[in-house]
Amino acid sequence: MDPTKIIFEWSYLEIFFATLGYFLFLYFVLAPLFQSTCRFLERKHFLTKIAEGEVSRDQVNFEIRHSVSSIIVFGFSSLPLIYVIRTQLVSLASDTLFNIFFGIVLLNIWNEIHFFVIHRIMHLPWFMKRVHAIHHRSVVPTVWSVYSFHWFEAFLLSTVPLTLIPFIALSPLAIALYPLTSVLLNYSGHSNYRFGSGDGPAWKLFSTRHAEHHYKRRQNYGFATNLLDWLYSYKTRKK
């Protein structure tokens, strides 16, 4: 399906339901597939669990309930993005292979910065108590916790493309594929699995770091890497 046609020819109501359906697919179809893959790789000794013990059904129900709420917010968040494109407040790049690849990479890099800033704010006492506490109810994270947010946090996290596109033209397909790449990284960080023993190169430690953040509620504020955590702590030490 041509994303350009959707952007310029579909009604806002159609776009809302299309976005809603897309995120429901990413959540309810990909989450169990990712979980099953992790369990298969665990049996083959490629992955190990970070925290032992079964997660309660109550926790999973809580995560799903709040994730559905977040998905509804994500559905609405596509509308201002469509508006600024239709009114030519921003420009789009063509859907060439380079532009698609470049756009996806750029969106994920920007998401790392965007997430780090939002995440640090969410850990301020007022926001932690009233907003971010919902996500941290998942002390042991699961694939179902990836979108388990307070609606306000879901809104802030949904603005990644909207806050980047005024400065850099992105291809429609890159914007459309970005949630897929983002949620796969999210599943990796919330699956409660790590590669091998979790020791070694940085790429082996990603899921370990984010899982530790869930039960420690400090450190590892980044999304996919700890680079911004390191830069932030280095700047603090230099003061």
Side-chain angles (χ1 to χ4, degrees), residues 24-39 143-144 187:
L24 287 172
F25 170 82
L26 293 178
Y27 188 71
F28 285 105
V29 176
L30 292 193
L33 285 175
F34 195 95
Q35 188 175 57
S36 298
T37 302
C38 287
R39 288 172 177 170
V143 292
W144 304 108
Y187 288 143

Side-chain angles (χ1 to χ4, degrees), residues 35-192:
Q35 188 175 57
S36 298
T37 302
C38 287
R39 288 172 177 170
F40 171 78
L41 293 175
E42 180 188 15
R43 292 194 296 271
K44 297 297 181 180
H45 306 293
F46 288 105
L47 300 179
T48 56
K49 272 192 174 182
I50 297 169
E52 293 297 333
E54 293 298 321
V55 173
S56 72
R57 186 68 231 180
D58 285 343
Q59 176 181 323
V60 173
N61 289 339
F62 179 87
E63 292 169 347
I64 291 174
R65 187 166 66 253
H66 283 86
S67 291
V68 170
S69 173
S70 295
I71 288 169
I72 293 171
V73 172
F74 297 158
F76 281 110
S77 72
S78 64
L79 304 185
L81 182 63
I82 298 299
Y83 175 80
V84 297
I85 294 172
R86 286 184 175 180
T87 55
Q88 299 183 335
L89 294 173
V90 299
S91 300
L92 289 174
S94 57
D95 276 328
T96 64
L97 187 60
F98 173 81
N99 285 343
I100 294 168
F101 177 78
F102 175 75
I104 291 172
V105 171
L106 195 61
L107 280 163
N108 280 282
I109 291 173
W110 173 238
N111 178 59
E112 190 70 34
I113 300 168
H114 181 277
F115 178 84
F116 182 83
V117 173
I118 298 300
H119 201 185
R120 293 290 305 184
I121 293 171
M122 289 296 107
H123 275 262
L124 296 173
W126 192 92
F127 286 102
M128 186 69 212
K129 182 179 180 180
R130 294 169 175 81
V131 180
H132 196 49
I134 287 177
H135 192 60
H136 273 281
R137 278 280 297 271
S138 304
V139 177
V140 176
T142 74
V143 292
W144 304 108
S145 66
V146 294
Y147 293 150
S148 182
F149 302 119
H150 185 282
W151 69 265
F152 182 66
E153 185 172 1
F155 164 71
L156 292 177
L157 294 175
S158 72
T159 60
V160 171
L162 186 63
T163 53
L164 181 62
I165 200 170
F167 307 100
I168 300 175
L170 299 170
S171 86
L173 199 52
I175 297 171
L177 290 174
Y178 158 70
L180 172 61
T181 60
S182 176
V183 81
L184 289 175
L185 289 172
N186 248 309
Y187 288 143
S188 298
H190 291 85
S191 65
N192 193 33

